[in-house]
Structures are given as C-alpha cells and as structure tokens.
Amino acid sequence: FPYTTLFRSLPDNLKALFRPMAMMIPDYALVAEVMLFSEGFETSKDLSRKMVKLYKLSSEQLSQQDHYDFGMRALKSVLVMAGSLKRSNPDLDEQVVLIRAMKDSNIPKFLSDDAELFEAIVSDLFPGKEVPNAEFGDLANAIIASLEKQELQVVHKFVVKVVQLFETFNVRFGVMLVGPTGGGKTACYQTLKDALSTLRSNKHADPEYQLVHTFVFNPKCIKMGELYGEYNLMTNEWTDGLGSTLIRNAVADTLPDKKWVVFDGPVDAIWIESMNTVLDDNCTLCLPNGERIKLNPNTMRMLFEVQDLSVASPATVSRCGMVYVPPEELGWRDRKSVV
C-alpha cells in the first residue's frame, strides 16, 4: 500500500500531527565483533560472522518452540559467557571458547532432537574443533549426594540438567524452568539449592557456591493487587503485595547468601509484563505506588517454574534464560543408580 502517496495527499495541518519515524535492523555481526574485541578476542571478526550465521541457521532449521529465542539478548548472554571463559582459560583456542559458550547457553533450552541438529550446525561452521568437557567435579559430586539424600535415583542426564541450571544462573538474572508436570523441574532447582548450600557449609573455596534461600509462591493464584500491592480506593491506603514483600525482604538481606524468588505457576501476560524491568539490565521492580526496589544482581535470581510459554510475549522470552526439563529423560521405569 503506497503510504507515502497517501501522506503527501493529506492537508498540511494534518501532516503536522504525524511524527517521522525510522526503523532499522541492528547489525548483529558488528555488535558481536565489538563485544568480542572488548572481551579480549583477537579473531573477533571471523568469530562474529560464524556466530551470527549459527543463530540464523538455528532460527530457520530448528523447531519452532515458544521458549526459543535467538535475538539480541540471547546473543549478548553468549558473548558475556565467552568473555568469562576466555579470562578463565586464556591459553585455550578462541574458537573452542566460543563454541563452548554457545553450547552452554543454548543446549539447556533445546529439545533432544533440536540439540542434535544444533550440534551438527556447530560442527559444520567450526570443522575439526573438539571441545573439551567442562569439569564440575565438586558440584557434580554434591548433586549426586543431594539426590541420594533425597532418596532419588541418580540419573546422569538429570545431573547434567542441574549443572545446566547452575550455568544459566551465572549468566542470566531471570531463569525459566520449562517442561510438563512430572518432568522434575522442582527437584531440579531444589537439588541445586541443597548442593550449593552443602558446598558452602563444607567451606568450599569457590565463592560461587553459597547458601541458597528460596521464596516460593504461585503468582497465578492471587490477584494483581495482592501480587504487587494496591491502593484502597476508600481510604487511599497502600497495601503491600506478596511478591513485592518477598522481593523487598530478599533485598534487605545483605549477607552473601543467594536468594532465589521462585514463581511457581503459569506465566500470564497480565502479571509477567510487570517483571520486565526486573528481568532486564535495570534489575528494578517498579510498584504502582511509585516505589522502585533495586535488586542485587550478585545475590538474587528470579526463577520461573512453568509448563509452557504459549501466552508469554517475545519481550519476556528474550529476557530470561531457558532450561527445558524433558520428562522422557527420566522415564517411568526403575533404573540402576549409575552416572
């Protein structure tokens, strides 16, 4: 439709009411190249092109799932993880560092079939590159001990899923555990909580292993006013909400312990959109009374335990790290305790 022709035919007094606007698609390759340079990569030009190509092929060839996102925020999280891996392994090949970062950021959210296809795309773009497996000896042992303490069977894929949740927590402030009921989402984060707390109780040297406190509630079972707070129209008195109270209490705790606010319920566009300022780089909860609660990104995390994201907006999906917990990996048969 010729919008420009229509605009020119409008009278001048009506034209003045319109505001000119221009839109453009960001150059992902240039953004990735600049960030890789800032993180210390020497071959950032070639790596950025391969990375953008990988994301383009993944968005086209992988299955269309509600919790998949290959946008700018996902790209940035991979680059941040690649920078931390580069600093911790300065002698490692830069291509191997980037491959590990891309796998660690994307594999946790993929379905099993999509994970195989993603691995094939990576091997085509980076031929002949072997990526050594990351070592999580103390954490993996603590996870196994936690599962045995809970009288749960030790399944290798479930241990890997708990480790993936830990890695996702390190790069994203908001994390969503996605999967149908009975897949082990609750056991996943509770096992990680117990393992980290045990390592800290045993005086582990790694500062990332701290005591973990969880604040669990279902945001869907209460009204918006009961979740974030509301004014009483009769008395104009402010009543604090359940979610804002729990978050405020977590912010008030200045100890280095980790605080996870767990939203255990279906994601609804009505209440999740109010969390957008919390899940982006601002990490700020804005309440209806004008109060702003600044969250601590070093000790706090937002965890969402959901079945699917069919009604979530792309803005919400892009702001969170995704960990898909497939029920078929656990199965229903008894199995030997083997890892």
Side-chain angles (χ1 to χ4, degrees):
F1 187 78
Y3 290 103
T4 54
T5 305
L6 176 62
F7 184 75
R8 290 170 184 167
S9 63
L10 293 175
D12 292 338
N13 59 346
L14 189 57
K15 284 182 184 179
L17 300 178
F18 288 89
R19 182 172 60 183
M21 179 182 64
M23 298 181 66
M24 62 175 293
I25 300 175
D27 188 347
Y28 282 31
L30 181 60
V31 172
E33 180 182 348
V34 172
M35 285 199 66
L36 287 173
F37 261 127
S38 66
E39 297 286 358
F41 286 79
E42 298 179 0
T43 58
S44 60
K45 194 174 187 66
D46 294 334
L47 293 179
S48 62
R49 291 176 178 174
K50 290 187 176 183
M51 184 177 180
V52 173
K53 189 66 175 178
L54 172 68
Y55 269 54
K56 184 175 184 295
L57 291 174
S58 299
S59 62
E60 293 173 350
Q61 299 185 19
L62 268 58
S63 64
Q64 300 298 316
Q65 303 293 328
D66 295 325
H67 63 278
Y68 285 3
D69 174 60
F70 301 100
M72 182 61 73
R73 285 192 178 92
L75 188 76
K76 181 186 176 184
S77 67
V78 174
L79 296 173
V80 171
M81 179 180 285
S84 62
L85 290 174
K86 174 69 174 177
R87 288 186 291 273
S88 60
N89 302 280
D91 298 329
L92 199 61
D93 185 10
E94 292 185 348
Q95 293 193 26
V96 174
V97 171
L98 185 61
I99 293 171
R100 176 183 288 180
M102 290 188 297
K103 286 186 176 181
D104 292 346
S105 298
N106 291 286
I107 293 295
K109 68 183 177 184
F110 287 151
L111 279 67
S112 56
D113 294 338
D114 288 336
E116 296 178 2
L117 181 57
F118 182 81
E119 295 270 8
I121 297 175
V122 170
S123 63
D124 289 343
L125 290 174
F126 300 90
K129 293 296 179 180
E130 294 292 335
V131 181
N133 295 326
E135 296 293 335
F136 292 95
D138 293 339
L139 179 59
N141 293 333
I143 292 171
I144 294 172
S146 175
L147 290 172
E148 293 175 347
K149 184 170 64 175
Q150 301 175 69
E151 298 183 354
L152 298 175
Q153 293 181 354
V154 180
V155 182
H156 174 67
K157 290 186 177 180
F158 187 76
V159 175
V160 172
K161 191 60 66 175
V162 177
V163 173
Q164 290 175 350
L165 177 62
F166 173 75
E167 292 178 330
T168 309
F169 269 137
N170 289 337
V171 294
R172 302 300 284 265
F173 185 75
V175 179
M176 289 192 175
L177 277 170
V178 186
T181 304
K185 300 190 297 295
T186 303
C188 184
Y189 81 80
Q190 288 180 347
T191 302
L192 179 60
K193 170 189 174 182
D194 185 69
L196 294 177
S197 300
T198 302
L199 289 172
R200 176 47 48 195
S201 300
N202 295 335
K203 309 296 183 182
H204 196 280
D206 196 332
E208 292 184 352
Y209 303 149
Q210 297 287 343
L211 293 174
V212 179
H213 306 282
T214 54
F215 306 87
V216 187
F217 67 102
N218 184 356
K220 188 64 175 174
C221 69
I222 55 180
K223 300 178 182 178
M224 279 285 292
E226 297 171 339
L227 179 59
Y228 296 114
E230 62 182 344
Y231 278 109
N232 188 325
L233 299 179
M234 300 296 294
T235 63
N236 202 28
E237 181 181 0
W238 170 257
T239 302
D240 218 358
L242 176 60
S244 57
T245 301
L246 293 176
I247 292 176
R248 187 182 287 107
N249 293 339
V251 171
D253 187 357
T254 57
L255 295 175
D257 300 350
K258 302 291 185 181
K259 278 80 68 175
W260 298 349
V261 182
V262 184
F263 295 79
D264 188 357
V267 167
D268 192 335
I270 297 176
W271 67 266
I272 193 63
E273 294 297 328
S274 300
M275 294 291 294
N276 282 349
T277 54
V278 176
L279 299 174
D280 59 18
D281 293 338
N282 296 323
C283 298
T284 303
L285 177 63
C286 302
L287 300 179
N289 64 343
E291 181 185 1
R292 294 187 176 186
I293 302 176
K294 178 66 176 178
L295 281 68
N296 187 347
N298 296 322
T299 61
M300 294 184 62
R301 290 294 183 269
M302 300 290 114
L303 179 62
F304 302 87
E305 187 179 341
V306 300
Q307 179 172 347
D308 55 55
L309 295 170
S310 58
V311 297
S313 66
T316 300
V317 176
S318 65
R319 281 174 164 85
C320 293
M322 300 293 169
V323 179
Y324 181 71
V325 186
E328 61 268 13
E329 289 188 353
L330 293 179
W332 56 272
R333 294 181 180 275
D334 292 336
R335 65 188 79 239
K336 296 181 180 180
S337 299
V338 62
V339 175

